[in-house]
Amino acid sequence: MSQPRAFVSRMMHPDAIAVIGEATDMEVWPDDPPPSAEQLRAKLADAEGVLINIMDRVDTALLDAAPNLRVISQLAAGLDNVDVAECTRRGILLGSTPGILSKAVADHAFALLLSAARRVVESDKWVRGNNWELAFHPNYWLGNEVQSSTLGIVGLGQIGLEVARRAQGFDMRVLYHSRNRRPEAEAQLGLTYASLDELLSQSDYVSLHCPLTPETRHLINADALRKMKSTAILVNISRGPVVDTDALCQALREGWIGGAGLDVVDPEPIPDDHPLLFMDNVTITPHIGSASVLSRRAMSIMAAQNLVNGLSGQRLVHCANPELYERLGI
């Protein structure tokens, strides 16, 4: 009996590849750069399952080119690159990998916060440029205190909660704004719910952890940035379009805010001539929030199992459209 055809859009942890290879007729994209939209459509012409990541866009054009597709497994928690409604309409199961990456992403959010606060990357470049002429000067390389400052968390999901837990170690006052209030978290972690305007105006650090939706696209725009303290630091580890990039560039250039730590940008990847790359008060990492060895292995295995389960007629480890189970008789 022939095995279902599956395409994997990027090489990943060998343990995950082994899971897929044992259960499917698998093809793995061999290159480090992702397949183009045209290449991905060609690879899915006769595929029944695909494992993708956030650089792969699943839209109507792709789905039209993949008439046999039964399951899409995403190596990420979010699905903003996927037309979820259209997949559901066509009866295609969608898998994702939430929960596993929360702690690693929260660690990286704090790494960006601390780096921007204490000007780590900026001063590192200065040293590497042979500019360290002074043994010590009391007025050089002054940064912001983190301990006992105010942190504003926008989006109190699993990652936001992990960031709040880390803030406790720095004796930070934590405000949060989210779609739903979290009374248990407020009691357990000493959090204070605030309107977005209150959070922006009172916080020394604003950390973004909301999903990208039509409502959150450009949530941090020029008006929002003008409400922040002139010394405040913005951390974005959610999705690039949550922030209006043009407004952020203006805010950083004109001193509306003190700095930014960004793991995600818009556009992504960032062009090599983008203004953000030439600003000293910005730290940018290449969307590596979940890039710890343990987290990426666990994510890869869950994504692989989602794919294999869907192709074998079983329920996914985590399904974004479980309403399909009844229709598909699973």
Side-chain angles (χ1 to χ4, degrees):
M1 183 175 178
S2 62
Q3 293 181 314
R5 284 187 54 77
F7 180 68
V8 181
S9 73
R10 209 83 86 262
M11 181 55 71
M12 59 184 61
H13 197 282
D15 291 350
I17 294 296
V19 169
I20 302 169
E22 289 177 4
T24 72
D25 176 10
M26 175 185 66
E27 180 182 0
V28 181
W29 182 253
D31 301 329
D32 287 335
S36 67
E38 183 179 78
Q39 289 169 325
L40 188 57
R41 287 196 296 269
K43 292 295 182 182
L44 297 188
D46 59 353
E48 296 174 67
V50 62
L51 199 158
I52 61 171
N53 67 34
I54 57 172
M55 300 306 295
D56 305 313
R57 181 154 295 282
V58 178
D59 53 17
T60 300
L62 179 72
L63 296 172
D64 286 343
N68 300 319
L69 204 59
R70 295 190 283 125
V71 58
I72 298 171
S73 177
Q74 167 117 307
L75 186 70
L79 288 162
D80 50 274
N81 57 313
V82 177
D83 188 335
V84 176
E86 185 61 21
C87 289
T88 302
R89 188 183 73 79
R90 297 179 187 225
I92 299 171
L93 291 168
L94 291 174
S96 60
T97 59
I100 293 173
L101 49 75
S102 301
K103 290 180 170 59
V105 175
D107 285 349
H108 194 64
F110 244 88
L112 287 170
L113 186 155
L114 290 165
S115 179
R118 297 306 301 270
R119 304 171 67 182
V120 172
V121 174
E122 185 184 356
S123 59
D124 175 82
K125 290 179 182 177
W126 189 78
V127 171
R128 293 174 189 272
N130 296 318
N131 295 310
W132 195 348
E133 299 172 354
L134 301 173
F136 175 80
H137 194 291
N139 293 329
Y140 269 52
W141 294 110
L142 302 181
N144 294 334
E145 292 280 355
V146 175
Q147 60 88 25
S148 299
S149 61
T150 298
L151 170 65
I153 297 174
V154 180
L156 200 70
Q158 290 177 306
I159 297 171
L161 281 170
E162 290 295 338
V163 171
R165 291 188 178 100
R166 283 149 182 75
Q168 288 184 306
F170 289 86
D171 296 322
M172 300 178 85
R173 172 190 178 221
V174 181
L175 308 178
Y176 80 97
H177 180 78
S178 197
R179 286 177 296 183
N180 301 304
R181 287 195 65 164
R182 305 287 296 273
E184 291 182 6
E186 291 174 21
Q188 181 184 16
L189 299 173
L191 312 183
T192 301
Y193 181 82
S195 69
L196 183 60
D197 285 353
E198 290 171 335
L199 182 149
L200 293 171
S201 64
Q202 295 180 34
S203 297
D204 300 298
Y205 303 92
V206 174
S207 193
L208 306 177
H209 303 284
C210 49
L212 177 61
T213 66
E215 292 73 31
T216 62
R217 182 175 291 274
H218 288 187
L219 178 71
I220 305 301
N221 53 23
D223 288 342
L225 290 161
R226 286 187 180 278
K227 290 170 183 171
M228 293 173 63
K229 297 180 179 180
S230 61
T231 55
I233 289 170
L234 177 70
V235 175
N236 188 9
I237 202 161
S238 57
R239 289 291 187 267
V242 172
V243 177
D244 181 336
T245 303
D246 291 340
L248 177 62
C249 288
Q250 185 178 2
L252 292 164
R253 225 177 11 244
E254 298 181 7
W256 305 355
I257 64 174
L262 309 173
D263 186 50
V264 290
V265 290
D266 183 27
E268 194 172 297
I270 193 167
D272 58 11
D273 61 348
H274 197 281
L276 284 173
L277 297 178
F278 301 94
M279 295 182 179
D280 289 334
N281 55 346
V282 182
T283 298
I284 303 177
T285 54
H287 207 141
I288 60 171
S290 64
S292 74
V293 174
L294 291 177
S295 287
R296 281 286 168 87
R297 178 183 182 276
M299 288 172 64
S300 296
I301 291 174
M302 179 185 280
Q305 200 62 59
N306 279 336
L307 179 65
V308 169
N309 283 12
L311 290 174
S312 62
Q314 302 177 56
R315 295 194 172 203
L316 279 56
V317 180
H318 188 275
C319 186
N321 53 357
E323 61 271 27
L324 282 180
Y325 286 152
E326 185 175 355
R327 191 205 306 181
L328 299 174
I330 299 175

